[in-house]
Amino acid sequence: MSNILTNLDLNLLKAFVITYKERNLKRAAERLFITAPAVSVKLNKLKQELGGELFIKVPTGFEPTALADHLYERVEPLLNQLYSDIGSLRGFEPADLSGRVNIDLGQHFISWFAPKLFSLVKSSAHQASMTFNGFSENTISNLRHGDVDIGIEYARVDTPKDIMEFPLKTKPLVMAVRKDHPITSKTARVEELASYGCAMIELNLDEGGKRWHFIHEAERQCGVKLEPEFTSSSLEAVVETLCHSNMFCPASKHVVEQYSDKLKSIEFVEMLDLVNYPVSLYLHRRNRHSPKHQWLIDQIQLGFSTFNV
């Protein structure tokens, strides 16, 4: 192996990291804004420097070798830190932010907070594009691989050591029902609502049993056994189902405010620890000093600190 540090082109490592993430030459080329043959040339140069194969061709694209796995684990966090440090030396201007920002939001937040955050970001970062997806079992892995910048969801039970967690201010959990629901009081017990049936917003994850956390706590704290009659990760589907039934659905008060023409909220008189369940922002530790990510966190905290939907 030649002395790789003497004449090493950082662009070779950048091409490798992107290709490792994409597992596809064409998609890697699109992200690097070069041609697929140019990416192939860079990978071949790096292969020669290292003296071993990095990828094996498969029908769907590439699969990394053990050498590639080892290189990625070492190089990817170093490259991210390097670009972050250089960016902090140059100073960060939101107007210079370009490319795509990827945010994963929990199902209780995506419908009302995605448009709000988009508006906040675009007011200063005119060149930026944003993609919002649901927070899922893959979000933590995608944070590690750099495919997701920030995740927002109800607080995890066991946050991994390489993932940082920041608390966010939010409105409490309420029981959402249709505007003309038979229960007219502003509060109710779970036992009273149980007879009308329960709908649930699917969280797309089962970490720590959180997917059915409300159901478990209703039985543990109130002795009420609930069986969801309707579940969906589509908030619109849940809302429409509530509007055409007497069912209730535990939801953030933000959701009820968003659909105030269709829904009303009934507040809990029990399970108060669950009512104020914390919401957190998740960030990979390598981005903790990134000016871009710090600015995004500021925009998110600003958006969560104001309750008008």
Side-chain angles (χ1 to χ4, degrees):
M1 183 185 296
S2 61
N3 187 352
I4 190 170
L5 295 179
T6 303
N7 300 304
L8 181 62
D9 182 354
L10 286 179
N11 286 320
L12 301 185
L13 294 177
K14 183 177 180 181
F16 162 74
V17 167
I18 296 298
T19 305
Y20 185 96
K21 291 178 179 179
E22 294 294 338
R23 312 292 171 96
N24 181 284
L25 203 60
K26 182 179 178 181
R27 290 199 299 269
E30 290 173 351
R31 286 187 60 178
L32 291 163
F33 301 102
I34 58 177
T35 64
V39 177
S40 183
V41 168
K42 291 180 183 294
L43 294 176
N44 281 327
K45 285 183 179 179
L46 185 60
K47 181 180 75 172
Q48 292 170 9
E49 291 285 358
L50 295 174
E53 291 289 341
L54 294 170
F55 297 102
I56 299 171
K57 287 185 178 180
V58 294
T60 56
F62 293 123
E63 284 296 326
T65 62
L67 174 62
D69 287 336
H70 183 68
L71 181 65
Y72 179 83
E73 290 175 3
R74 298 295 183 88
V75 166
E76 195 267 349
L78 294 176
L79 275 182
N80 273 289
Q81 187 62 55
L82 177 62
Y83 290 134
S84 174
D85 289 346
I86 291 174
S88 63
L89 291 173
R90 291 172 56 193
F92 176 76
E93 291 294 336
D96 296 332
L97 179 61
S98 60
R100 187 162 297 278
V101 175
N102 297 295
I103 308 288
D104 278 9
L105 293 170
Q107 299 304 121
H108 284 258
F109 315 108
I110 192 168
S111 65
W112 66 268
F113 191 63
K116 186 172 188 178
L117 180 59
F118 178 76
S119 178
L120 282 171
V121 170
K122 289 292 283 186
S123 66
S124 301
H126 309 295
Q127 302 180 69
S129 300
M130 302 188 75
T131 295
F132 294 92
N133 288 309
F135 197 106
S136 71
E137 294 287 355
N138 298 321
T139 295
I140 296 300
S141 174
N142 289 336
L143 284 169
R144 289 190 176 113
H145 292 155
D147 297 324
V148 170
D149 290 295
I150 289 172
I152 297 172
E153 178 56 292
Y154 284 113
R156 294 174 59 89
V157 175
D158 55 350
T159 303
K161 292 182 179 179
D162 59 335
I163 302 297
M164 300 185 72
E165 183 175 358
F166 301 86
L168 293 173
K169 186 177 181 181
T170 187
K171 279 195 172 176
L173 200 70
V174 296
M175 293 179 273
V177 296
R178 61 185 173 90
K179 292 278 281 188
D180 54 349
H181 194 275
I183 295 181
T184 58
S185 60
K186 293 183 178 180
T187 63
R189 295 189 174 276
V190 175
E191 184 178 13
E192 183 181 359
L193 280 160
S195 61
Y196 293 102
C198 176
M200 294 287 291
I201 300 171
E202 176 62 71
L203 295 183
N204 290 331
L205 57 104
D206 198 24
E207 179 266 333
K210 190 187 298 175
R211 181 180 176 218
W212 300 117
H213 189 58
F214 175 81
I215 302 298
H216 295 155
E217 289 301 299
E219 183 172 7
R220 186 181 72 83
Q221 295 191 35
C222 307
V224 178
K225 200 165 187 177
L226 296 171
E227 184 66 38
E229 296 180 23
F230 182 88
T231 62
S232 176
S233 59
S234 167
L235 182 57
E236 290 76 11
V238 173
V239 170
E240 286 304 310
T241 300
L242 292 178
C243 288
H244 294 89
S245 71
N246 286 329
M247 286 192 289
F248 76 97
C249 176
S252 165
K253 200 168 185 178
H254 288 291
V255 172
V256 178
E257 290 176 346
Q258 182 184 4
Y259 293 94
S260 59
D261 59 326
K262 298 179 177 181
L263 304 178
K264 67 178 180 179
S265 62
I266 297 176
E267 296 184 2
F268 287 81
V269 294
E270 53 209 336
M271 297 199 300
L272 297 183
D273 57 330
L274 185 64
V275 170
N276 296 302
Y277 201 85
V279 176
S280 294
L281 177 154
Y282 297 96
L283 176 79
H284 195 277
R285 192 167 292 278
R286 66 170 173 270
N287 294 321
R288 64 190 182 279
H289 299 306
S290 161
K292 165 191 166 183
H293 287 82
Q294 286 301 317
W295 181 76
L296 287 171
I297 290 172
D298 289 343
Q299 304 313 299
I300 290 168
Q301 290 176 329
L302 176 62
F304 263 84
S305 67
T306 55
F307 284 149
N308 295 324
V309 177

